[in-house]
């Protein structure tokens, strides 16, 4: 989405969130996924322009290749499954790593294998568990071998804006070694002092806009369904009336001896 500077300066988070929720469909779904992260303060705060791109997105924002309908849950990004899980070459990848004569795009996700790492089973286990369960340390847990998936690196979108979770794979050990207790406040202090995380107040505009518009958006969806049902019923009545009119006109053209038979 490209806009002139004047329109861009007029665009606000509340405007985009309100429009997406009232419009419904995939745009609403993306705002729902964003709210799951924003309410936990676990992702980078998107600008109004990024929210607008998210609302209108059609393809993965990293490879610009695969079709994507909405934000992938737990990522805060418009990413396809391949970019999330596979390292691959691509001419449009936004993060590059030299590898021979080609460039390889590294997968967004990287598994923190708690079941295989000896350091997790040691005396720091309580601190690791506190990190994994902290609301601002966004991760996707699987039931297989106690794997936790984090982003492998910090990322930016095509405009240079920082996107995705605020904590990545390498931060897990860094936090554990820095804190002296498993208290959530200790983790909060580390995130604030070392990871340049957005202040809690930065999430307020999005969260307030989303919560204040939920009921109105739900009412709008009901109204659209009712309007559509009424329009469908009216169309059926019009078609039935048209058929009945045709039958009446046809009956008038038929000779009296055959009228009852034809009808």
């Amino acid at each position: 989405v490209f806009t002139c500077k004047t329109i861009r300066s007029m665009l606000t988070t509340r405007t985009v969130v309100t429009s997406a929720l009232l419009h419904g469909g995939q745009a609403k779904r993306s705002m729902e996924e964003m709210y799951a992260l924003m309410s936990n303060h676990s992702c980078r705060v998107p600008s109004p322009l990024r929210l607008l791109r998210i609302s209108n997105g059609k393809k993965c924002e990293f490879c610009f290749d695969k079709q994507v309908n909405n934000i992938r849950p737990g990522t805060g990004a418009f990413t396809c499954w391949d970019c999330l899980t596979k390292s691959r070459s691509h001419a449009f990848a936004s993060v590059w790593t030299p590898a021979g004569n080609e460039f390889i795009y590294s997968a967004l996700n990287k598994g923190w294998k708690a079941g295989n790492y000896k350091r997790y089973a040691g005396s720091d286990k309580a601190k690791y568990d506190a990190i994994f369960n902290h609301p601002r340390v966004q991760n996707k847990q699987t039931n297989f071998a106690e794997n936790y998936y984090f982003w492998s690196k910090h990322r930016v979108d095509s405009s240079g804006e920082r996107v995705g979770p605020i904590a990545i794979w390498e931060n897990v050990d860094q936090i554990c070694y820095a804190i002296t207790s498993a208290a959530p406040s200790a983790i909060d202090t580390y995130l604030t002092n070392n990871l340049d995380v957005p202040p809690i107040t930065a999430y307020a505009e999005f969260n307030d806009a989303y919560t204040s518009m939920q009921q109105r958006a739900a009412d709008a969806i009901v109204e659209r369904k009712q309007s559509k049902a009424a329009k469908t019923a009216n169309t059926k009545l019009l078609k039935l009336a048209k058929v009945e009119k045709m039958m009446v006109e046809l009956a008038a053209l038929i000779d009296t001896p055959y009228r009852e038979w034809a009808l």
Side-chain angles (χ1 to χ4, degrees):
V1 178
F2 298 94
T3 62
C4 69
K5 292 182 178 179
T6 302
I7 297 178
R8 186 182 304 179
S9 64
M10 297 169 59
L11 194 64
T12 66
T13 294
R14 179 171 292 275
T15 300
V16 179
V17 173
T18 299
S19 176
L21 292 179
L22 291 178
H23 182 271
Q26 301 298 349
K28 179 176 181 291
R29 174 68 183 277
S30 288
M31 292 304 107
E32 291 171 345
E33 296 298 343
M34 279 303 306
Y35 180 70
L37 300 175
M38 295 287 283
S39 60
N40 284 330
H41 315 121
S42 61
C43 66
R44 297 293 170 181
V45 178
S47 66
L49 190 58
R50 173 165 174 77
L51 286 175
L52 184 61
R53 289 196 295 267
I54 287 172
S55 298
N56 293 279
K58 299 297 181 184
K59 290 183 179 294
C60 173
E61 64 176 305
F62 294 98
C63 68
F64 301 104
D65 183 24
K66 297 294 182 65
Q67 180 177 345
V68 178
N69 294 324
N70 48 61
I71 280 184
R72 187 165 294 278
T75 65
F78 220 76
T79 176
C80 66
W81 180 251
D82 285 345
C83 282
L84 188 69
T85 61
K86 299 178 182 178
S87 294
R88 58 200 178 108
S89 59
H90 201 287
F92 297 102
S94 59
V95 178
W96 301 95
T97 302
N101 295 323
E102 65 176 355
F103 288 93
I104 302 298
Y105 174 69
S106 59
L108 293 176
N109 268 357
K110 184 176 181 179
W112 205 96
K113 302 178 181 179
N116 296 340
Y117 295 160
K118 291 183 179 179
R119 59 186 182 277
Y120 176 72
S123 58
D124 290 330
K125 186 177 185 302
K127 291 195 292 184
Y128 278 119
D129 286 338
I131 294 169
F132 295 142
N133 293 317
H134 194 280
R136 299 200 76 179
V137 183
Q138 178 65 31
N139 67 83
K140 181 180 180 181
Q141 182 181 4
T142 66
N143 294 326
F144 179 72
E146 291 187 287
N147 286 347
Y148 298 85
Y149 286 91
F150 295 85
W151 275 26
S152 58
K153 299 177 181 179
H154 290 296
R155 310 280 175 162
V156 296
D157 65 9
S158 57
S159 68
E161 182 175 340
R162 299 179 72 177
V163 301
I166 60 176
I168 60 175
W169 189 90
E170 67 179 17
N171 297 143
V172 175
D173 287 332
Q174 293 171 352
I175 297 172
C176 182
Y177 300 151
I179 61 178
T180 57
S181 72
S185 58
I187 300 173
D188 284 327
T189 300
Y190 181 91
L191 294 176
T192 302
N193 295 338
N194 296 275
L195 295 187
D196 188 29
V197 298
I200 299 299
T201 54
Y203 298 86
E205 184 178 7
F206 180 96
N207 291 336
D208 290 345
Y210 182 89
T211 53
S212 65
M213 285 302 301
Q214 273 188 306
Q215 187 57 51
R216 184 177 171 188
D219 293 342
I221 292 174
V222 172
E223 289 174 2
R224 281 198 295 269
K225 289 182 178 179
Q226 291 175 342
S227 177
K228 184 177 180 180
K231 185 177 180 180
T232 300
N234 186 57
T235 300
K236 290 181 179 180
L237 290 175
L238 291 175
K239 288 182 178 179
L240 181 59
K242 185 176 180 180
V243 171
E244 291 175 346
K245 181 180 178 182
M246 290 174 59
M247 294 299 292
V248 171
E249 292 175 349
L250 181 61
L253 296 175
I254 299 177
D255 292 337
T256 303
Y258 303 99
R259 186 177 302 169
E260 293 184 0
W261 173 82
L263 297 176

